[in-house]
Amino acid sequence: MSGLLIIGAGGFARETAQAVRDAGVTKLLGHLDDNTALHGTEVDGVPVLGGCDLVHDLPGARVVICVGNPRDYAARARLVRRLGLPADRYATVLHPTAAVSSSSGIGPGSVLLAHCVLTAAVRVGAHVAVMPHAVLTHDDVVEDCATLAAGVRLGGGARLERGAYVGSGALVREGTTVGAWSLVGMGSTVLGDIPPGEVWAGSPARRLRTADAPALDELVTRTTGGPVT
């Protein structure tokens, strides 16, 4: 079976489904979600076919994982690890209005929604979520499983380490690093490096606390050499 399966049926998954339909180049097969109440229903006209593990019964389909939110932004990484699919099973979804320079690169399983801009020599890893109107400027690096919410702006040479979450409208100064599995609050202005596993917010952004358990668990998994993608 050829076509695309979207893992998840929440807001991000629905936005991705709309991007796929707007692009009109890939057949959208449906959503997979572990919420059994959704099985056999439709979300915005797209069927929910069953649980996430059904992906293994449809080996000809490409896949994109569209789960996670500020309360658990590690969910995408956990599902990637749980499903254990090879990289070539994952699709990359670009809304037709996304502007990606020829010198930039995007990894498998990543999604760029409407009006995103990657200017020059930007590197986006695997399973990254880039929401509408995000701007990534020259030489930015976004590692696997990171999330850029709507309207985020990254200055040149900024780096988001694995799993970092940058909230809506946040600004990240050029040459600045947001550490692995840290969260930047919406509307924040990041003027200096943020260590891994912390929550920062404000303008200028200041440390509020350590990240929640799901993100810290992912951070520990990587630093102790456990299974990662």
Side-chain angles (χ1 to χ4, degrees):
M1 177 184 291
S2 61
L4 180 70
L5 294 166
I6 297 177
I7 306 292
F12 176 32
R14 293 167 55 204
E15 291 172 322
T16 301
Q18 187 62 55
V20 172
R21 289 184 289 191
D22 288 348
V25 296
T26 302
K27 180 181 179 182
L28 182 56
L29 301 175
H31 296 278
L32 301 181
D33 196 286
D34 286 337
N35 182 355
T36 58
L38 295 176
H39 297 175
T41 68
E42 291 188 349
V43 178
D44 299 336
V46 180
V48 181
L49 303 175
C52 298
D53 291 321
L54 185 62
V55 71
H56 298 296
D57 297 329
L58 302 169
R62 303 293 297 284
V63 180
V64 65
I65 297 179
C66 298
V67 299
N69 56 62
R71 294 176 299 281
D72 184 7
Y73 49 97
R76 197 157 59 252
R78 291 198 307 273
L79 257 178
V80 170
R81 191 162 55 248
R82 168 184 147 190
L83 296 178
L85 299 175
D88 62 7
R89 282 291 306 273
Y90 286 105
T92 299
V93 175
L94 305 180
H95 190 277
T97 62
V100 179
S101 67
S102 61
S103 59
S104 296
I106 304 168
S110 291
V111 176
L112 275 66
L113 295 179
H115 303 290
C116 295
V117 177
L118 278 61
T119 63
V122 177
R123 293 290 174 263
V124 173
H127 310 293
V128 172
V130 185
M131 301 301 180
H133 292 279
V135 177
L136 289 70
T137 55
H138 68 88
D139 303 304
D140 289 337
V141 175
V142 180
E143 296 184 10
D144 296 354
C145 299
T147 300
L148 290 83
V152 167
R153 302 289 192 267
L154 301 185
R159 187 179 196 96
L160 303 186
E161 293 184 341
R162 180 180 174 85
Y165 187 106
V166 181
S168 298
L171 307 176
V172 179
R173 187 176 186 173
E174 67 274 6
T176 299
T177 296
V178 178
W181 300 107
S182 282
L183 182 147
V184 176
M186 59 191 303
S188 297
T189 303
V190 178
L191 299 180
D193 292 348
I194 294 177
E198 296 186 356
V199 177
W200 286 52
S203 185
R206 294 179 173 84
R207 185 185 187 278
L208 298 183
R209 55 181 174 82
T210 57
D212 291 333
L216 291 182
D217 289 346
E218 287 296 321
L219 182 61
V220 169
T221 295
R222 187 166 182 86
T223 56
T224 58
V228 296
T229 60

